[in-house]
Amino acid sequence: MPSFDTSVPALLVRLDRNPFHHGTLGAARSLGRAGIPVHAVIESLTSPVTRSRYVRDVHVSPDAPSPAELARLLLTLSDGLPGPGPALLVPMDDVSALALAEHRTELAGRYLLPDQTPERLVRVADKAALAETCRALGLPHPRTEIPAGADEAAAMAWSLGLPAVAKWSRPWLLPAGSGLRSTSIVRSLAEVRALYARTPQAGSRLLLQRLLPAGRHLDWFFHGYADSTGRCSAAATGRKERSWPHGAGLTAVGRWTPNPAVERVARDLLTALGHRGVVDLDFRLDRSTDTYHLLDFNPRPGAQFRLFADREGLDVVRAMHLDLTGRRVPPHSPAYGRRFVVENYAALALLTSPRRRPDAERGIGGGADHGAEGGTETDATPAAESGNATRRVETAWFAADDPVPALAMTWAWFRHALRRGLTALRRPARPEGLTPANGPATALPSPPAARIPSQGACEGGTTKDRARQA
């Protein structure tokens, strides 16, 4: 294990109200097992994360604080943290990362943070800005449309083809309890219109994207840490084996698998942006062009970052602590074949995912054994196991040395499911034949006669760029 400065505590910050955010628990365990004191600012004192033996103290985050309010809270908390100097700040969601970057100057005397600006982060965290960034860099990205009205949204969805992907530009602004998801699949024009009507409630623009065909071995992710010199360490690629919701959700089961094509694109992107800090990038392979499209860029640790803990226990969160405390970040030692399982979401994905069929039956050409630009991905065997950090399967919630959070999560999950079930039972059934106010969910009107301007369309750069990438 690398040598850590254990006199520097870590403060995890998450403003997302999701009590089942397993990435926060992973960060607490990763740093805590290294002997680093861990404190957390999270949504509730009843969160399963609070039950971890590695979390020394928990502070409740205020509801929807402004960046300035969060900064004031962190400055107040710094007085009570152990250690003679500044503590490490670890944002666990996009809104926290943006807020910390905005107030980095005033926090710098009390906390250690990557050299990052809010303008640089918005270029990638805002989904509309990410589409424009991809267009400017010639990076493959699904065709993206930004409607200015419900009729235009319907016309654009028709042009893209249904089903399509709907995203909110700034998902961190979605109000808790609204039922709005950051990303969803829309299958009818009625759904598109209904979703667009909720734009004021969502707090940001609605984006519509072409849905790249799903399939086995097509969804990939890259995690890495760009240090103060721009060098990307603790970098690795993984493959989604199951997701929740199916086809457009978070990783329920992931596998550490080498993919040189994805890693090359990710490293080149970080260099072009001058990014500093932890990143989590999502890609999907478009089999029609044999190119990997960037779907998402998260400027903070991904929830499944513990998948990439190597034989010495090094992951992106530990790399961040080492770098910002002036310690050397050692080379990352791959443990190919290692899996990460999120128990609650993996169970849902297994129960609800469509029955798998051969790729040929899905209309997906070939296998999934090679990447774009001649890169290859292989099903390598796991590296030799060496202690807890490289066991072949790591679970998000259960750990033999820290079992209580898994029990707390299971109880909270049961209560959550029970509430959802009771709400569904109490909801009055719609009388047979009654049509919703926004029209039948399956109604498809004739194609719009007028051509709708693209308004930010981005599909991997110019025609010349796409030909070169193919």
Side-chain angles (χ1 to χ4, degrees):
M1 180 184 293
S3 175
F4 293 91
D5 185 349
T6 56
S7 69
V8 178
L11 180 60
L12 313 180
V13 182
R14 177 168 56 80
L15 300 180
D16 177 14
R17 314 305 290 183
N18 176 18
F20 304 110
H21 189 277
H22 48 279
T24 309
L25 177 62
R29 285 172 171 167
S30 177
L31 296 170
R33 286 168 179 154
I36 298 164
V38 178
H39 299 248
V41 175
I42 55 176
E43 79 288 347
S44 170
L45 294 177
T46 62
S47 169
V49 174
T50 66
R51 308 303 298 276
S52 173
R53 61 180 290 194
Y54 296 110
V55 177
R56 297 197 178 186
D57 201 4
V58 174
H59 309 274
V60 177
S61 62
D63 290 331
S66 68
E69 289 172 333
L70 178 61
R72 285 195 295 270
L73 172 64
L74 295 177
L75 290 172
T76 300
L77 294 179
S78 67
D79 294 331
L81 295 175
L88 176 73
L89 269 182
V90 185
M92 297 305 301
D93 55 11
D94 291 350
V95 64
S96 300
L98 287 162
L100 299 185
E102 183 175 338
H103 290 273
R104 181 180 182 276
T105 301
E106 61 192 274
L107 293 171
R110 307 285 189 93
Y111 292 101
L112 302 175
L113 285 164
D115 184 9
Q116 195 60 273
T117 66
E119 294 78 17
R120 195 180 294 163
L121 293 189
V122 167
R123 284 189 66 190
V124 292
D126 182 298
K127 311 307 178 188
L130 177 63
E132 176 58 28
T133 298
C134 290
R135 186 201 64 77
L137 297 175
L139 185 68
H141 184 71
R143 177 182 163 195
T144 301
E145 307 283 3
I146 307 174
D151 290 342
E152 191 174 45
M156 287 177 170
W158 183 275
S159 174
L160 290 168
L162 295 173
V165 178
K167 293 182 176 180
W168 296 107
S169 178
R170 300 188 173 191
W172 58 88
L173 298 179
L174 294 175
S178 65
L180 292 170
R181 301 187 65 90
S182 60
T183 301
S184 56
I185 305 296
V186 288
R187 305 182 184 279
S188 72
L189 300 188
E191 286 183 67
V192 174
R193 291 176 180 274
L195 198 58
Y196 185 86
R198 302 189 69 180
T199 299
Q201 183 183 12
S204 65
R205 293 179 290 177
L206 179 69
L207 279 65
L208 298 172
Q209 283 184 346
R210 180 172 75 90
L211 176 63
L212 298 177
R216 293 188 65 189
H217 300 178
L218 299 184
D219 288 325
W220 293 80
F221 46 90
F222 169 91
H223 290 194
Y225 173 73
D227 64 21
S228 53
T229 67
R231 184 178 68 94
C232 189
S233 56
T237 58
R239 189 175 66 204
K240 282 189 183 182
E241 296 193 336
R242 291 193 181 275
S243 61
W244 175 256
H246 176 72
L250 55 79
T251 301
V253 180
R255 183 180 183 185
W256 190 341
T257 309
N259 189 321
V262 167
E263 183 165 350
R264 182 164 55 251
V265 171
R267 287 180 178 273
D268 289 347
L269 174 60
L270 296 182
T271 299
L273 294 174
H275 184 84
R276 299 291 184 269
V278 179
V279 294
D280 166 25
L281 311 181
D282 289 323
F283 293 85
R284 176 170 287 182
L285 177 64
D286 183 353
R287 297 296 295 165
S288 66
T289 60
D290 212 25
T291 55
Y292 288 95
H293 287 241
L294 178 65
L295 303 182
D296 212 0
F297 188 121
N298 301 300
R300 39 75 182 170
Q304 76 276 27
F305 81 91
R306 280 292 301 165
L307 168 65
F308 299 123
D310 73 0
R311 285 174 288 182
E312 299 300 321
L314 182 66
D315 56 39
V316 292
V317 172
R318 288 186 174 187
M320 181 180 180
H321 192 282
L322 287 168
D323 176 52
L324 295 182
T325 56
R327 302 295 177 102
R328 187 182 73 90
V329 181
H332 208 211
S333 303
Y336 298 137
R338 175 172 154 84
R339 280 183 169 87
F340 185 78
V341 178
V342 188
E343 300 94 318
N344 47 336
Y345 294 125
L348 288 174
L350 181 63
L351 291 171
T352 61
S353 64
R355 181 181 177 184
R356 286 183 172 174
R357 295 171 292 168
D359 285 345
E361 294 181 28
R362 296 173 179 259
I364 300 171
D369 299 326
H370 71 286
E373 305 172 12
T376 60
E377 64 93 352
T378 58
D379 288 341
T381 55
E385 296 188 8
S386 175
N388 189 54
T390 55
R391 62 184 184 275
R392 187 166 183 173
V393 177
E394 177 162 332
T395 49
W397 292 99
F398 178 76
D401 64 335
D402 189 30
V404 180
L407 299 175
M409 183 280 295
T410 302
W411 174 238
W413 189 261
F414 172 76
R415 288 184 296 156
H416 172 72
L418 184 61
R419 284 194 302 268
R420 292 284 297 270
L422 291 175
T423 300
L425 288 174
R426 291 168 181 166
R427 185 179 299 125
R430 179 181 298 142
E432 187 175 353
L434 182 62
T435 301
N438 59 359
T442 57
L444 294 176
S446 300
R451 183 177 179 274
I452 303 298
S454 169
Q455 293 198 29
C458 171
E459 194 172 19
T462 64
T463 304
K464 186 183 293 185
D465 292 330
R466 289 195 294 273
R468 184 168 61 252
Q469 290 153 358

